[in-house]
Amino acid sequence: MKKALGIIPARYASSRFMGKPLAMIKDKPMIIWVYERAKKAKLLRDVIVATDSYEVQRKVEKYGGNALITFSSHSTGTERIAEVSEKYDDELIVNIQGDEPLISPLIIDKMVEELQDITIDIVTVKEKILDDSYLSPNMVKVITDLKGFAIYFSRSPIPYCRQDNRIYFKHIGVYGFKKQILLNLVKLSPSPLERIENLEQLRAIEYGYKIKVIESPYHTIGVDTPEDIEKIEMELKNAI
């Protein structure tokens, strides 16, 4: 089985949360939580942090990790990991968002398994939403077809439910790519729906690429605002 290269994009100057990669969660920065989780995945050959910040790079290296400085001009995490991926020969690339400190290494391995299928170009992850958090525009929702391929991603609650039988799935910020597909995507112009929703994964759909979506049984919480740090720490406390 082919292993993948895991790359964690970590932009320091987040518009909603400045310095987010270095936000402390309990006793260490968030980027280290993500890095250490990813390193536990058995089907990643290596894990690299791709950042525009020397401060983030120094922090990762202090904890024994590998971090590369990328161009500050990148507008998306996908562009950042594409730059790093071109430095290596790996055919499979996994993009692990730097704001997913609870990401399961088991689900990362499941994604790499899916990428062994020559018919699958991109794979990502969803998780069932069990509360009313689906109303938040910070939580991206996804709907899929009967074969498990993404139909659409949105900040709005989708699908619209006329009756009280709603089932919503949030999108988890992790992607697996065939490397050539990744390099092709970043050469394409931002698509209309991508611009409207500010969701880069819509570019793949609008240009005709199919995204396989697997469901994770593991609960995770993405960090969009400083308030989310408290939720992460509570989750970690309950897991002890």
Side-chain angles (χ1 to χ4, degrees):
M1 184 177 292
K2 292 181 182 178
K3 291 192 174 184
L5 176 64
I7 307 177
I8 305 171
R11 184 167 68 96
Y12 185 84
S14 171
S15 59
R16 285 180 293 181
F17 192 167
M18 182 63 70
K20 182 165 66 169
L22 299 181
M24 295 299 292
I25 298 177
K26 296 183 69 175
D27 59 343
K28 55 192 173 186
M30 177 167 63
I31 190 63
I32 303 304
W33 283 95
V34 181
Y35 181 84
E36 291 179 348
R37 293 261 180 161
K39 285 291 287 185
K40 292 180 180 179
K42 296 179 180 179
L43 295 181
L44 292 183
R45 179 188 65 78
D46 198 3
V47 179
I48 299 169
V49 174
T51 183
D52 59 351
S53 165
Y54 287 100
E55 189 175 356
V56 171
Q57 182 187 44
R58 286 193 293 269
K59 188 66 69 172
V60 171
E61 291 176 347
K62 178 182 176 182
Y63 280 83
N66 186 7
L68 296 181
I69 295 295
T70 58
F71 295 120
S72 59
S73 57
H74 291 316
S75 59
T76 68
T78 305
E79 292 175 2
R80 203 173 301 283
I81 70 163
E83 179 190 339
V84 171
S85 73
E86 291 193 278
K87 302 178 187 296
Y88 299 91
D89 295 330
D90 301 82
E91 296 179 23
L92 307 179
I93 305 294
V94 176
N95 174 356
I96 304 143
Q97 299 290 356
D99 55 8
E100 291 284 348
L102 299 181
I103 190 68
S104 168
L106 297 177
I107 204 65
I108 293 173
D109 283 340
K110 176 61 177 173
M111 292 175 59
V112 179
E113 290 175 7
E114 291 283 343
L115 283 174
Q116 308 299 315
D117 187 333
I118 61 173
T119 67
I120 292 179
D121 297 321
I122 306 171
V123 60
T124 192
V125 181
K126 67 180 181 180
E127 179 188 327
K128 189 174 291 186
I129 302 173
L130 302 177
D131 55 23
D132 62 359
S133 59
Y134 68 91
L135 295 170
S136 170
N138 290 329
M139 178 178 287
V140 178
K141 277 70 66 175
V142 60
I143 52 175
T144 58
D145 65 19
L146 296 177
K147 293 183 178 180
F149 289 92
I151 297 173
Y152 195 64
F153 297 85
S154 182
R155 297 184 182 280
S156 297
I158 52 173
Y160 172 75
C161 297
R162 297 183 62 184
Q163 300 176 350
D164 191 22
N165 60 347
R166 63 178 184 265
I167 298 178
Y168 294 104
F169 288 92
K170 69 175 179 178
H171 177 229
I172 306 301
V174 58
Y175 303 87
F177 295 95
K178 297 293 198 313
K179 181 178 178 178
Q180 193 55 55
I181 299 299
L182 168 64
L183 298 180
N184 291 345
L185 276 173
V186 297
K187 294 176 183 177
L188 298 172
S189 300
S191 59
L193 292 173
E194 174 188 2
R195 291 180 183 274
I196 291 170
E197 295 259 16
N198 192 25
L199 295 175
E200 58 183 299
Q201 59 268 48
L202 290 174
R203 184 185 308 182
I205 291 178
E206 289 189 84
Y207 279 100
Y209 292 99
K210 300 192 72 175
I211 304 175
K212 182 66 180 293
V213 185
I214 59 176
E215 184 176 352
S216 174
Y218 311 105
H219 181 53
T220 187
I221 301 172
V223 176
D224 292 298
T225 66
E227 290 73 25
D228 291 326
I229 297 293
E230 295 181 16
K231 299 177 185 177
I232 297 286
E233 291 182 335
M234 183 60 67
E235 191 75 17
L236 292 169
K237 182 178 179 180
N238 292 337
I240 295 175

